[in-house]
Amino acid sequence: DMHGLQVERVLVDMIGDPPSDKPGLPSAGVTLVRAIVRSPAGAVADNTQLANDLRRFKWLDDSALSLAAAHPSLGLERAESTAALATLSLALLDHPLLSRNNMLSLLERPAFAPQLAALSDVFAARFDPTSPMDDAAFGAAIDDFDKSVAVGFQAEESRSLLHAMGRCLRHTMRTNAPLAESRRALALRLDPALFAQPISQHAPHVLQLPYGVFFVAGRHFSSFHVRFADVARGGLRVVAPADSEAHVAESRRHFLECLNLAWAQQLKNKDIPEGGSKGVCL
């Protein structure tokens, strides 16, 4: 649906690797997928976007792929940025109905398509390397988005989610989104002011806003990096939940865990030039 192609036939070949005593992770072999596709009668196929999507496909998380399948007009790149903003918004939300799984299922409903398209368009325009949207137009576009959410949705959880996604975009300072051909994940540098309210509510012992906050969304992972100085050191924690329920719980406290670990490192580093930092990969 996304590219207007009809799949006539699909062939799948699976080639297993021979047993090996070599160290390392076991290999499942190679799977070859070949498809015969056809454009509708009279249509001219544009293979450029299809080729770009195929190169990006294996690096996208299931949440982005599901969103693109639910809203084909978004395309993969816009679905990726939208899914990332939705996951990031969990750091701002404290709503019993908005777990990560429920939130992503909610966004797949047809009623959300216009707002998601509008938000992803603003994201793309703001960080267009050839002609980025200026600050005034960007602020006005986010304001218009918030107004459309207030008018178009009655359910409180829907409004909360979309408004949070808009705030996340408003506070996004930089991104690697334009480097689609070379990047392996979507990274955002965020204005720490975005997290002022959750820090004051849930981490009042943290006595200053971070110097920098980064969020990265990739295939089967998301990460925060928090630093309290321009030059900082700390470490990386990898969190691998045992099941989906544990993952939902870890998603809710992902940012706060990273914040608290970075603040503890900041206190430990009080007698050295470097500030404290920490990364948490979920």
Side-chain angles (χ1 to χ4, degrees), residues 90 98-102 241 243-254 282:
L90 286 172
L98 291 177
S99 66
R100 184 175 187 272
N101 293 344
N102 291 345
D243 51 44
S244 60
E245 291 185 1
H247 188 275
V248 168
E250 293 292 346
S251 297
R252 287 188 178 278
R253 56 175 174 260
H254 189 183
L282 172 61

Side-chain angles (χ1 to χ4, degrees), residues 99-128:
S99 66
R100 184 175 187 272
N101 293 344
N102 291 345
M103 172 189 68
L104 294 172
S105 296
L106 194 66
L107 293 178
E108 292 176 10
R109 296 179 181 177
F112 286 80
Q115 277 71 24
L116 299 185
L119 192 65
S120 59
D121 284 345
V122 175
F123 181 93
R126 174 63 167 175
F127 299 107
D128 181 353

Side-chain angles (χ1 to χ4, degrees), residues 110-229:
F112 286 80
Q115 277 71 24
L116 299 185
L119 192 65
S120 59
D121 284 345
V122 175
F123 181 93
R126 174 63 167 175
F127 299 107
D128 181 353
T130 59
S131 180
M133 180 183 286
D134 61 49
D135 292 347
F138 177 61
I142 297 296
D143 291 341
D144 290 341
F145 171 78
D146 285 336
K147 292 176 183 177
S148 72
V149 171
V151 172
F153 291 88
Q154 298 297 323
E156 189 265 340
E157 63 270 17
S158 299
R159 288 185 175 187
S160 296
L161 173 57
L162 292 171
H163 283 315
M165 293 171 64
R167 290 202 306 276
C168 290
L169 177 52
R170 189 189 294 271
H171 288 82
T172 298
M173 301 166 62
R174 299 185 69 182
T175 179
N176 67 345
L179 306 176
E181 293 188 4
S182 58
R183 61 181 172 84
R184 301 296 179 261
L186 180 63
L188 310 176
R189 179 162 188 173
L190 303 160
D191 182 352
L194 173 66
F195 304 98
Q197 183 174 354
I199 290 175
S200 64
Q201 288 183 343
H202 304 292
H205 55 281
V206 177
L207 302 180
Q208 67 186 78
L209 285 177
Y211 176 86
V213 179
F214 298 81
F215 176 75
V216 182
R219 181 161 180 79
H220 298 165
F221 80 91
S222 60
S223 296
F224 277 104
H225 171 81
V226 175
R227 56 177 53 224
F228 281 93

